[in-house]
Amino acid sequence: MVGNSIEKGVKGNRLFGDKVVSLLGKPTRPKPQHLPKESPLLLYILVRENEVLGDIVSMKFSFKDSAKWSFFISIVTLFLSSSFTIVSTIVLSGVNWGIGILVVFIIIFIGVFFDMLGLAAAAAIEKPFHSMASEKINGAKQSIRIVRNADKFSNFCNDVVGDISGIVSGTASAAVVLNLISNLKVGHSTLLYSVVSVVFTATVAALTVGGKAFGKSFAIVNSTQIILFVGKFFSFLETRLHIIVFGGNKKGKQKARGKNGIKPN
């Protein structure tokens, strides 16, 4: 009887009556699985990297196109730098130092503004503008062309206009200091001239760097809105003045329409 009861207890996982004895130990429950919590900033960075890398992979480097653009932008830089310098010299030569300071601040603002536009083009992606273009929002198609030519657009805004504004603002600040010192009737070798020159030059540099720092932060966060604003301006140029900026690729159009210019069925 005892042997049979033990045998039954082993088979039923019970020994000696109602006392429960686990031959394999206590049963364990499945432990809760905790997934690592990703911060919103990290998720944004990961998604952003995938989108930006996708756009970068789709871009193709063309030595011939880059050489043409380099030559063209060099000529434009030569013309713009000469024009900026001549205009600023003429304006500052016939005004007092107060108007001169205002002109210098305007030049600084132009440099900061275009630096912001160039960085916004480099940070923007195409996908939002494709959705806008499907809804026929004004400037969406032009914004897509800006993003696809972000290297050229940022080169013009950051390097051409930005650098020219920095050079012209330095030249203009020196002219303002000379005008101010001449009004005060102080010699160039005096301590007052050195103090005014250093203070004004340092102020111009601080405003330029601080303004560009603020513009970069604003451009990265609001790149889509900024490029759409520029796209609307380009759309205005196309519809009213018939000026096309960053036109489509002729080879791509010819391939899409066929060799004879007829779109295949």
Side-chain angles (χ1 to χ4, degrees), residues 10 14 23 26 49 61 64 85 87 98 102 104-105 122 134 156 176 180 188 194 221-222 229 235-236 248 256 265:
V10 171
R14 289 179 177 272
L23 299 179
K26 294 183 179 180
E49 284 181 351
F61 176 77
K64 183 178 180 181
T85 305
V87 171
L102 180 62
V104 172
F105 288 165
S134 63
F156 175 78
V176 170
L180 177 60
H188 293 175
S194 300
V221 177
N222 302 282
F229 172 78
S235 176
F236 173 80
N265 295 327

Side-chain angles (χ1 to χ4, degrees), residues 34 36 62 69 113 123 127 203 215 231 250:
H34 297 286
S62 174
W69 172 256
F113 179 74
K127 291 182 180 179
T203 303
K250 295 181 180 180

Side-chain angles (χ1 to χ4, degrees), residues 53-263:
L53 287 176
D55 289 341
I56 292 175
V57 170
S58 63
M59 295 176 62
K60 294 182 179 180
F61 176 77
S62 174
F63 180 81
K64 183 178 180 181
D65 185 57
S66 299
K68 288 181 179 179
W69 172 256
S70 300
F71 178 76
F72 170 75
I73 205 64
S74 299
I75 300 300
V76 172
T77 303
L78 179 64
F79 174 75
L80 289 179
S81 60
S82 303
S83 302
F84 270 59
T85 305
I86 293 172
V87 171
S88 62
T89 303
I90 293 175
V91 171
L92 293 175
S93 61
V95 298
N96 57 17
W97 61 271
I99 303 297
I101 292 176
L102 180 62
V103 172
V104 172
F105 288 165
I106 292 174
I107 295 173
I108 293 173
F109 174 78
I110 292 174
V112 170
F113 179 74
F114 276 87
D115 185 80
M116 179 184 67
L117 295 182
L119 185 59
I125 57 177
E126 288 188 31
K127 291 182 180 179
F129 301 112
H130 285 290
S131 302
M132 296 178 190
S134 63
E135 297 177 1
K136 297 182 179 180
I137 296 178
N138 183 29
K141 294 181 180 179
Q142 289 77 12
S143 300
I144 294 173
R145 294 205 297 264
I146 292 173
V147 175
R148 290 179 179 177
N149 295 275
D151 54 342
K152 299 177 181 178
F153 185 82
S154 61
N155 175 240
F156 175 78
C157 294
N158 295 102
D159 300 330
V160 178
V161 181
D163 292 347
I164 290 175
S165 299
I167 295 171
V168 174
S169 63
T171 306
S173 62
V176 170
V177 171
L178 291 175
N179 193 359
L180 177 60
I181 293 301
S182 63
N183 290 335
L184 296 177
K185 297 180 180 180
V186 178
H188 293 175
S189 60
T190 59
L191 178 62
L192 181 60
Y193 172 79
S194 300
V195 171
V196 172
S197 179
V198 170
V199 170
F200 193 75
T201 304
T203 303
V204 170
L207 291 176
T208 302
V209 175
K212 288 186 177 182
F214 175 80
K216 283 180 171 59
S217 301
F218 184 80
I220 292 174
V221 177
N222 302 282
S223 58
T224 303
Q225 292 81 358
I226 293 173
I227 296 304
L228 181 61
F229 172 78
V230 180
K232 290 181 179 180
F233 176 72
F234 283 0
S235 176
F236 173 80
L237 293 179
E238 291 181 10
T239 55
R240 299 297 179 87
L241 303 178
H242 303 287
I243 299 175
I244 300 177
V245 183
F246 297 129
N249 190 0
K250 295 181 180 180
K251 293 182 180 179
K253 290 182 179 179
Q254 185 177 2
K255 184 178 180 180
R257 292 183 176 273
K259 295 183 180 179
N260 298 324
I262 300 175
K263 188 176 181 180

Side-chain angles (χ1 to χ4, degrees), residues 11-33:
K11 291 181 179 180
N13 202 13
R14 289 179 177 272
L15 293 175
F16 304 106
D18 296 332
K19 187 176 181 181
V20 179
V21 178
S22 177
L23 299 179
L24 299 177
K26 294 183 179 180
T28 58
R29 298 179 180 178
K31 296 182 180 181
Q33 301 293 326

